């Protein structure tokens, strides 16, 4: 997927080979990519290689630090309203035996110094947000580090302590004070591997960022323990350069040409699933409920491989086809908008598509996520037949694949136009308020960072004990949020999806019925290979 492409570019460039992100998408084979690289000279690489400080709009180069324009996701969070100080992502890692606090502090300092997002400070004067990158020498990572003695604790007691400390760490976050990071070291003794919990405010991190941060923590620790100064792999395009580029891109003719697509997508109201729309006063994160569903490897494998290959589709094309048929079937079954066989969904993407050739965000830490609407239209296709697989399911997949291929620039332009252009923002905001997607869908791809039992800096098996990703009073945006991922299982890859919903808007039996219909539809699609 595209996230894997970002990682691959970073690894290739680390070997000294001149490759840009666009090359991976333009070259259809490894041989074609090798041919492109082979014909490049070092001078060519200087022209095409991503650079951290590049001129913007003919002006002087943009420096690393200082104030930066808000990214679209930060504007989305600002408009959401409500408290956001505890809004975070976190990871729990295994620490090596023999780790000491001084070594850990130096390791963290190297990572904080290297990644600008970890030194962000927010200013919320009068409801107007701004973000500033603090200089590296202004941040002492030791202030972010808390040690907890867990020597001799049994598994159950350790999990309880991890849960309590994760909540306390989230409470210590303070974006207005520049506290974007909290680290808790669960010290299990001088020879026993412990645990390290990193809690980062969501303004400073996203899913791709963790694929950068975790290896960097390991690399910095190895250097410190060897008595060397950590030298982490360079960041291609800085967070501040990217934010300035997006601000300019919001007014470019090619981006403005997307407006008809987005207005047409949002032009028609969306038949409702919930009893009413979310009320920010009562529908908060504290009212959220969740349900996890999965597919066995026998169905997951074709969904990831042979089905997409047969239909020249992506995995998310297949997943969204199943979702569209499931919701349409539910509507027909319950007489809820069955005569309008289209589903408006907000999709979540990594948002790191380069708007210029010299952009490389494969090693840039920050919250780049893009959120954009798509309309999945199954007019003329019987969802009941599509659930069974066969010709109807194949027709549905072709239809949804074509609709998703039509989305401009994988959706990154919607947030740019919705939040960064003063002329287009109110138009799209008004349409979105009327159409109101009720489902947000996010497919994280195949995640290789899996819990281990004894490897230093791998993910810890107690990660499910970590809590408090949201402030309890944060408003709910969507009645339903679906987060899907593929992970390794004992019998092969396992597709898993978590449905989260606002408890006052939907009853659990409704969500279970929808999720069951979706799983049935995916099983039917898996038979097409």
């Amino acid at each position: 997927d595209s996230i894997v492409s970002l990682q691959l570019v970073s690894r290739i460039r680390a070997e000294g080979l001149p490759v840009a992100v666009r090359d991976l998408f333009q070259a259809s084979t490894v041989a074609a990519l090798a041919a492109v690289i082979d014909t490049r000279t070092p001078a060519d690489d200087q022209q095409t290689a991503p650079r951290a400080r590049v001129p913007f709009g003919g002006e002087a180069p943009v420096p690393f630090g200082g104030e930066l324009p808000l990214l679209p996701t930060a504007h989305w969070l600002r408009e959401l309203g409500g408290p956001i100080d505890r809004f975070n992502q976190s990871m729990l890692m295994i620490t090596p035996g023999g780790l000491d606090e001084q070594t850990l502090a130096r390791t963290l300092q190297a990572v904080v110094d290297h990644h600008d997002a970890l030194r962000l400070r927010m200013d919320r004067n009068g409801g107007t947000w701004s973000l500033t990158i603090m200089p590296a020498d202004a941040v002492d990572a030791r202030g972010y580090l808390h040690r907890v003695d867990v020597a001799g604790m049994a598994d159950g007691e350790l999990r309880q302590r991890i849960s309590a400390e994760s909540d306390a760490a989230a409470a210590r976050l303070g974006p207005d004070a520049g506290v974007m990071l909290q680290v808790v070291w669960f010290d299990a003794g001088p020879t026993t591997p412990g645990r390290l919990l990193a809690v980062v405010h969501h303004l400073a991190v996203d899913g791709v960022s963790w694929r950068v941060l975790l290896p960097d923590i390991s690399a910095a620790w190895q250097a410190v323990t060897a008595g060397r100064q950590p030298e982490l792999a360079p960041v291609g395009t800085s967070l501040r350069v990217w934010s300035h580029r997006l601000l300019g891109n919001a007014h470019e003719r090619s981006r403005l040409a997307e407006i008809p697509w987005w207005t047409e997508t949002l032009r028609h109201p969306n038949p409702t699933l919930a009893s009413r729309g979310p009320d920010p006063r009562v529908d908060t994160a504290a009212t959220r409920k969740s349900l996890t569903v999965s597919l066995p490897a026998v169905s997951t494998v074709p969904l990831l491989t042979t089905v997409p290959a047969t239909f020249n589709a992506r995995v998310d094309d297949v997943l969204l086809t199943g979702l569209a048929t499931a919701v349409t079937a539910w509507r027909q079954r319950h007489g809820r908008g069955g005569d309008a066989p289209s589903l408006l969904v907000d999709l979540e993407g990594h948002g790191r598509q380069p708007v210029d050739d010299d952009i490389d965000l494969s090693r840039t830490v920050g919250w780049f996520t893009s959120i954009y609407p798509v309309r999945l239209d199954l007019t003329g296709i019987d969802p009941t037949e599509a659930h069974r697989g066969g010709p109807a399911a194949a027709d549905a997949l072709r239809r949804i694949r074509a609709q998703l291929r039509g989305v401009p620039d994988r959706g990154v332009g919607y947030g740019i136009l919705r939040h960064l252009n003063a002329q287009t923002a109110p138009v799209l905001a008004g349409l979105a308020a009327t159409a109101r997607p009720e489902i947000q869908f996010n497919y994280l791809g195949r995640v290789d960072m899996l819990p281990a039992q004894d490897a230093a800096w791998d993910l810890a098996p107690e990660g499910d004990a970590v809590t408090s990703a949201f402030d309890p009073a944060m408003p709910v945006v969507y009645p339903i949020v679906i987060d899907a991922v593929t992970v390794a299982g004992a019998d092969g890859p396992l597709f898993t999806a978590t449905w989260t919903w606002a408890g006052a808007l939907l009853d659990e039996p409704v969500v279970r019925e929808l999720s069951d219909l979706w799983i049935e539809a995916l099983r039917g699609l898996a038979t097409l290979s």
Side-chain angles (χ1 to χ4, degrees):
D1 58 24
S2 53
I3 293 177
V4 173
S5 299
L6 289 167
Q7 293 178 298
L8 184 56
V9 167
S10 179
R11 292 174 62 183
I12 294 174
R13 295 193 65 82
E15 297 298 323
L17 298 174
V19 62
V21 175
R22 70 181 187 279
D23 297 330
L24 245 63
F25 292 98
Q26 293 174 352
S28 57
T29 64
V30 174
L33 180 63
V36 170
I37 296 174
D38 192 49
T39 58
R40 264 200 199 126
T41 66
D44 293 329
D45 189 34
Q46 292 301 312
Q47 295 299 316
T48 60
R51 298 181 297 279
R53 301 169 177 82
V54 292
F56 168 69
E59 301 172 2
V62 177
F64 264 121
E67 189 173 334
L68 68 160
L70 295 184
L71 295 181
T73 45
H75 281 286
W76 175 88
L77 185 63
R78 175 181 55 81
E79 291 183 357
L80 178 61
I84 56 93
D85 284 10
R86 296 170 61 104
F87 188 33
N88 71 83
Q89 288 191 339
S90 60
M91 286 286 174
L92 185 71
M93 295 157 273
I94 299 171
T95 58
L99 183 67
D100 63 84
E101 195 163 355
Q102 182 179 4
T103 298
L104 181 54
R106 291 180 60 196
T107 297
L108 294 175
Q109 189 69 57
V111 175
V112 171
D113 288 349
H114 196 68
H115 294 291
D116 297 346
L118 300 180
R119 305 191 309 277
L120 282 173
R121 185 184 69 242
M122 174 185 281
D123 188 355
R124 288 182 279 186
N125 285 330
T128 301
W129 288 15
S130 64
L131 290 171
T132 301
I133 298 172
M134 295 183 290
D137 58 4
V139 175
D140 187 348
R142 290 176 298 180
Y144 298 154
L145 178 59
H146 295 259
R147 176 186 170 275
V148 176
D149 186 355
V150 296
M153 280 191 182
D155 181 69
E157 186 180 2
L158 175 62
R159 286 177 175 273
Q160 290 180 356
R161 192 63 184 270
I162 289 172
S163 179
E165 292 294 340
S166 67
D167 185 70
R172 289 194 298 270
L173 292 174
D176 297 282
V179 182
M180 291 288 181
L181 169 68
Q182 286 292 296
V183 178
V184 182
W185 176 34
F186 298 93
D187 184 2
T191 60
T192 305
R195 301 292 184 260
L196 190 76
L197 174 65
V199 178
V200 184
H201 197 281
H202 209 334
L203 281 169
V205 75
D206 59 14
V208 178
S209 297
W210 289 109
R211 305 184 189 211
V212 177
L213 288 173
L214 300 192
D216 278 6
I217 291 172
S218 177
W221 169 77
Q222 292 178 41
V224 171
T225 54
R228 295 182 283 106
Q229 179 67 29
E231 295 184 4
L232 302 178
V235 174
T237 301
S238 74
L239 179 63
R240 193 160 188 259
V241 165
W242 174 246
S243 64
H244 277 279
R245 287 292 183 94
L246 286 191
L247 197 61
N249 183 262
H251 299 86
E252 291 182 1
R253 183 175 302 176
S254 58
R255 190 64 73 195
L256 294 173
E258 298 179 4
I259 288 292
W261 173 273
W262 299 119
T263 54
E264 179 61 25
T265 298
L266 295 169
R267 189 164 61 89
H268 303 288
N270 192 39
T272 60
L273 300 171
S275 56
R276 57 173 173 79
D279 183 343
R281 296 169 299 178
V282 295
D283 299 313
T284 63
T287 71
R288 289 159 44 111
K289 299 182 179 181
S290 64
L291 167 70
T292 299
V293 295
S294 61
L295 280 171
V298 66
S299 294
T300 297
V301 170
L303 287 178
L304 298 180
T305 57
T306 53
V307 174
T310 299
F311 291 87
N312 190 27
R314 297 187 291 257
V315 175
D316 52 353
D317 297 336
V318 183
L319 301 178
L320 288 167
T321 298
L323 183 62
T325 58
V327 174
T328 303
W330 185 90
R331 285 173 175 168
Q332 289 185 355
R333 181 182 295 181
H334 295 278
R336 300 281 292 274
D339 57 342
S342 70
L343 173 65
L344 189 64
V345 179
D346 266 359
L347 299 187
E348 187 171 313
H350 61 70
R352 293 171 183 249
Q353 294 92 324
V355 297
D356 290 307
D357 287 344
D358 62 351
I359 293 293
D360 175 14
L361 298 170
S362 59
R363 278 193 44 79
T364 309
V365 171
W367 189 19
F368 297 90
T369 304
S370 58
I371 301 172
Y372 59 97
V374 297
R375 188 173 293 277
L376 309 174
D377 192 342
L378 293 177
T379 300
I381 295 176
D382 185 339
T384 303
E385 288 296 320
H387 265 78
R388 300 170 182 166
D395 290 344
L397 178 51
R398 293 188 186 97
R399 178 83 60 82
I400 298 302
R401 179 200 62 191
Q403 292 166 10
L404 293 174
R405 288 297 182 279
V407 175
D409 205 8
R410 296 295 297 270
V412 71
Y414 178 78
I416 295 172
L417 295 168
R418 168 67 180 80
H419 297 289
L420 304 184
N421 184 311
Q423 283 71 48
T424 60
V427 176
L428 294 177
L431 289 169
T434 301
R436 290 181 183 266
E438 289 191 299
I439 298 176
Q440 184 188 48
F441 180 83
N442 180 26
Y443 178 55
L444 295 170
R446 186 164 179 166
V447 176
D448 296 323
M449 298 187 305
L450 299 175
Q453 294 297 326
D454 54 9
W457 308 115
D458 278 351
L459 297 190
E462 302 87 1
D464 57 347
V466 177
T467 59
S468 302
F470 297 91
D471 190 295
M474 278 187 68
V476 165
V477 181
Y478 305 93
I480 297 175
V481 175
I482 304 173
D483 293 301
V485 66
T486 301
V487 298
D491 300 319
L494 180 71
F495 173 78
T496 300
T498 299
W499 290 60
T500 305
W501 72 97
L505 300 181
L506 289 162
D507 294 330
E508 182 172 341
V510 171
V511 178
R512 286 191 177 276
E513 184 180 6
L514 285 166
S515 62
D516 287 345
L517 287 168
W518 186 41
I519 292 296
E520 291 171 11
L522 294 179
R523 289 181 185 273
L525 287 163
T527 65
L528 298 180
S529 56

